[in-house]
Amino acid sequence: MKWSNQITQLIGIDYPIIQAPMFGVTTPEMVIAASRAGALGSLSLGDLPAERCSELIRSTAAYVMKPFAVNIFVNHVPEVSLNLRLAYNETKVFVEQLALQHGLEVALPELDSIHITDYREQIDAIISHQCKVVSFTFGNLDAQSIKRLKDNDVMIIGTCTSVAEAIALEEAGIDVICVQGLEAGGHRGSFQEAPVPEIGGFSLLPQVKEHVNVPLIYAGGLYNASTIHSAKLLGASGFQIGSLLLKSKESALLDFEKARLSHVKESDIVLTRSFSGRYARGIKNTFIEALDKSQYILPYPYQNKLTGELRKVAKANKNVDFVNIWAGQSIHSYSELSTTDIMQTLIREVENLHTSLVV
């Protein structure tokens, strides 16, 4: 298979394979390992403070010889109204009592103690460290930020979950668009919290291809040669791999979380707003089932900030029912090898499939 294309040439990588920026799973070591395989590593910065972003970028850049991407959240922060304060306090009490009923004692943060990072602060750090690829999700960057990045020769990758979002990204001057299908694990990259577009990736991808001219990366359900080949036929130039790496050597998931992946079933994978306030796909558990049936889900990012301490305590207690394990709809055996080995194996499988199809 001829791997060289718009994506590899624009970024300067060997293969148009992108290691997904999975916040809470991705580590600098995973980014480094992906780069060693000739792929694009993606450092997930989420909504971390600028100082922490700088630390992670430095620790990654020291061991990566080729470009890697940094990924940020474009947060829309709802105004702190009286209604939000009341809802926050009620949700806080509900979640604390729910946790206590299941053996977890946790004190969740008060609303006024929560700090929410403005992504523009992250962009300052990104530019100062001369990062050359930035990807983002949950909306679009403001025009000034886009100009600043372009003035510093940064390639920008946006995320869409609909044709309308793809068009908006292209019109804003975004260089590459990541098309995220409904089957993808983790958070939906939709511009709004709810409702989110409910279109499968292999239906969405060719429609986006018809409406925009920038190169496309596809994310959602890719885990073997056949799914990558299908995405290529439908118009993708890049292929984002996420769930395939959940149990990898470099994954930040703890052993008890990785063990849960060993016996996951199709019916276990759900779309939920319970942990963060935004829709995300993962493995259902006690917390998800309780919250999804309740009125206690705050707007993002307040729900996400509220449940952060809960997840920390649950991890310390190895309680799988109160942590989020994001995973896509494609159920497969999750390898415990290094990210480098997993990606190199996938690349060989794609090349072998291409050879057999040509013959």
Side-chain angles (χ1 to χ4, degrees):
M1 177 174 173
K2 182 178 179 294
W3 288 102
S4 178
N5 63 19
Q6 289 174 295
I7 297 292
T8 60
Q9 293 163 17
L10 278 171
I11 301 174
I13 51 177
D14 298 325
Y15 303 101
I17 306 291
I18 293 87
Q19 163 253 312
M22 300 174 285
F23 194 55
V25 175
T26 300
T27 59
E29 291 76 19
M30 181 181 285
V31 178
I32 294 163
S35 183
R36 286 175 180 159
L40 178 66
S42 302
L43 182 64
S44 182
L45 302 177
D47 61 349
L48 293 173
E51 296 79 8
R52 180 57 178 154
C53 291
S54 292
E55 293 172 7
L56 290 171
I57 292 169
R58 279 195 298 267
S59 61
T60 304
Y63 298 96
V64 177
M65 299 300 105
K66 293 190 176 182
F68 64 93
V70 291
N71 179 266
I72 59 176
F73 294 165
V74 181
N75 288 328
H76 166 69
V77 183
E79 180 184 352
V80 179
S81 62
L82 176 59
N83 286 339
L84 178 59
R85 286 188 178 278
L86 293 173
Y88 186 95
N89 292 334
E90 291 174 358
T91 302
K92 178 177 180 292
V93 171
F94 177 83
V95 172
E96 288 174 342
Q97 291 178 346
L98 177 66
L100 191 59
Q101 290 168 12
H102 291 83
L104 292 176
E105 188 171 348
V106 58
L108 301 181
E110 300 293 339
L111 178 58
D112 290 334
S113 71
I114 289 176
H115 171 74
I116 298 173
T117 301
D118 186 324
Y119 72 83
R120 295 165 187 84
E121 300 170 20
Q122 295 174 307
I123 288 176
D124 290 339
I126 289 166
I127 290 174
S128 70
H129 288 284
Q130 299 180 326
C131 298
K132 290 304 174 187
V133 184
V134 171
S135 62
F136 62 90
T137 190
F138 298 164
N140 202 353
L141 301 174
D142 66 282
Q144 183 178 2
S145 294
I146 293 172
K147 183 179 186 303
R148 288 190 65 208
L149 291 169
K150 286 182 173 291
D151 287 346
N152 285 274
D153 298 319
V154 180
M155 196 187 80
I156 312 173
I157 304 173
T159 305
C160 81
T161 61
S162 70
V163 172
E165 290 174 355
I167 292 171
L169 290 170
E170 184 182 48
E171 289 178 346
I174 303 307
D175 301 301
V176 177
I177 296 174
C178 179
V179 180
Q180 186 193 45
L182 185 63
E183 52 273 81
H187 280 94
R188 305 291 297 131
S190 307
F191 284 22
Q192 60 185 30
E193 289 180 24
V196 292
E198 297 184 24
I199 181 170
F202 281 3
S203 293
L204 176 61
L205 177 58
Q207 293 182 54
V208 171
K209 181 69 175 178
E210 291 177 2
H211 286 83
V212 301
N213 295 310
V214 299
L216 303 179
I217 295 168
Y218 176 70
L222 300 183
Y223 71 100
N224 61 11
S226 296
T227 51
I228 286 180
H229 180 70
S230 299
K232 183 177 185 295
L233 291 177
L234 292 172
S237 297
F239 314 95
Q240 186 159 290
I241 307 301
S243 295
L244 192 65
L245 305 174
L246 288 175
K247 284 182 71 174
S248 68
K249 179 181 177 182
E250 299 82 10
S251 167
L253 290 183
L254 301 181
D255 288 343
F256 82 94
E257 295 171 303
K258 291 181 178 180
R260 177 66 181 91
L261 289 164
S262 300
H263 53 92
V264 66
K265 305 187 299 294
E266 181 181 299
S267 59
D268 292 333
I269 305 296
V270 296
L271 201 60
T272 177
R273 294 177 59 223
S274 57
F275 278 104
S276 72
R278 289 189 72 101
Y279 279 106
R281 187 174 298 284
I283 301 173
K284 70 179 176 182
N285 56 20
T286 298
F287 182 79
I288 289 174
E289 291 185 307
L291 268 288
D292 282 350
K293 295 174 183 176
S294 78
Q295 62 185 8
Y296 300 108
I297 298 180
L298 302 164
Y300 178 90
Y302 294 107
Q303 185 80 2
N304 194 47
K305 298 297 184 182
L306 174 72
T307 63
E309 181 64 20
L310 171 68
R311 285 171 278 170
K312 181 180 177 181
V313 172
K315 281 178 180 283
N317 285 271
K318 298 181 180 179
N319 188 322
V320 76
D321 277 312
F322 285 83
V323 294
N324 58 282
I325 304 176
W326 302 139
Q329 286 183 321
S330 292
I331 306 299
H332 53 83
S333 58
Y334 298 89
S335 173
E336 296 183 28
L337 296 175
S338 75
T339 297
T340 303
D341 290 336
I342 293 170
M343 287 195 164
Q344 287 178 337
T345 298
L346 181 62
I347 289 165
R348 286 195 298 270
E349 289 177 357
V350 173
E351 290 174 339
N352 291 338
L353 176 61
H354 178 72
T355 300
S356 67
L357 292 174
V358 171
V359 172

